[in-house]
């Protein structure tokens, strides 16, 4: 819980001086998770060189495992043309997972009552993100984005993410 509060605090601090706010949706694919997900994104432009973003991704269940990912990143703008931006990113990551084993009934061979096994197990990993991304303006209030970042943690993985952002 302390790690989640740290991520939210980072986003709040950067939003105080933000020049522009954007939010959007997209899709993501993570290599070791091996499934696609739906992501919600928020982006704050701090100045012409720096931005901060936050995202939450819910990956589709695969092989009885569900994954949720929370990211908070800082962008360093490499190229800031009017309709296209390229950036490097670095940040913090929390990956949550849960495994839901179905209940199965087992016959007791000694004649006593039958019993069942199954249940749920869950946990989380803290990590660091390193990556690159870009955004292309489609209109004055709509941008297409794509980014890739590698999460360094106990369960490291590469994430590819595309979507749209709306300017507010």
């Amino acid at each position: 819980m302390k790690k989640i509060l740290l991520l939210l605090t980072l986003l709040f601090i950067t939003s105080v001086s933000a020049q522009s706010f954007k939010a959007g949706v997209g899709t993501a694919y993570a290599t070791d998770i091996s499934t696609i997900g739906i992501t919600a994104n928020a982006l704050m432009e701090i100045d012409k060189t720096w931005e901060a973003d936050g995202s939450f991704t819910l990956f589709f269940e695969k092989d009885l495992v569900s994954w949720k990912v929370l990211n908070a990143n800082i962008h360093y703008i490499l190229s800031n043309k009017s309709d296209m931006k390229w950036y490097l990113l670095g940040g913090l990551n929390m990956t949550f997972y849960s495994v839901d084993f179905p209940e199965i009934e087992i016959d007791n061979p000694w004649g006593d009552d039958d019993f069942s096994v199954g249940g749920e197990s869950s946990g989380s990993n803290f990590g660091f993100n390193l990556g690159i991304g870009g955004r292309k303006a489609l209109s004055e209030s709509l941008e297409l984005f794509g980014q890739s970042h590698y999460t360094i943690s106990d369960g490291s993985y590469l994430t590819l993410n595309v979507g749209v952002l709306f300017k507010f």
Side-chain angles (χ1 to χ4, degrees):
M1 188 64 170
K2 290 180 184 179
K3 294 173 186 172
I4 294 172
L5 290 174
L6 176 65
L7 289 171
L8 294 174
T9 302
L10 175 67
L11 286 174
F12 175 76
I13 291 170
T14 57
S15 70
V16 172
S17 62
Q19 293 180 351
S20 166
F21 178 76
K22 299 173 184 175
V25 294
T27 61
Y29 177 80
T31 55
D32 284 3
I33 295 174
S34 299
T35 187
I36 61 171
I38 299 170
T39 183
N41 303 339
L43 175 81
M44 294 164 279
E45 295 177 342
I46 298 168
D47 61 29
K48 294 198 182 282
T49 307
W50 295 97
E51 300 173 330
D53 83 7
S55 67
F56 176 76
T57 305
L58 178 62
F59 288 96
F60 296 116
E61 184 176 318
K62 181 178 179 185
D63 299 331
L64 304 176
V65 182
S66 298
W67 301 86
K68 298 175 186 97
V69 175
L70 184 62
N71 292 303
N73 297 308
I74 299 293
H75 299 181
Y76 176 74
I77 306 298
L78 298 172
S79 171
N80 193 1
K81 297 183 179 175
S82 61
D83 66 336
M84 188 72 192
K85 285 187 180 183
W86 293 100
Y87 55 87
L88 296 175
L89 71 86
L92 304 175
N93 167 281
M94 282 297 297
T95 302
F96 304 92
Y97 57 89
S98 66
V99 181
D100 190 10
F101 301 103
E103 292 282 330
I104 57 172
E105 198 72 27
I106 298 177
D107 292 330
N108 188 339
W110 296 281
D112 293 342
D113 292 333
D114 294 342
F115 59 94
S116 62
V117 294
E120 184 177 314
S121 178
S122 62
S124 63
N125 287 326
F126 178 76
F128 298 97
N129 295 328
L130 294 172
I132 189 166
R135 292 196 316 276
K136 169 100 174 114
L138 300 176
S139 70
E140 193 170 305
S141 60
L142 182 66
E143 293 181 338
L144 178 66
F145 76 89
Q147 70 181 28
S148 175
H149 67 266
Y150 189 74
T151 300
I152 303 164
S153 69
D154 284 343
S156 298
Y157 57 91
L158 177 71
T159 302
L160 306 171
N161 193 353
V162 294
V164 293
L165 291 170
F166 303 94
K167 185 176 182 177
F168 293 95

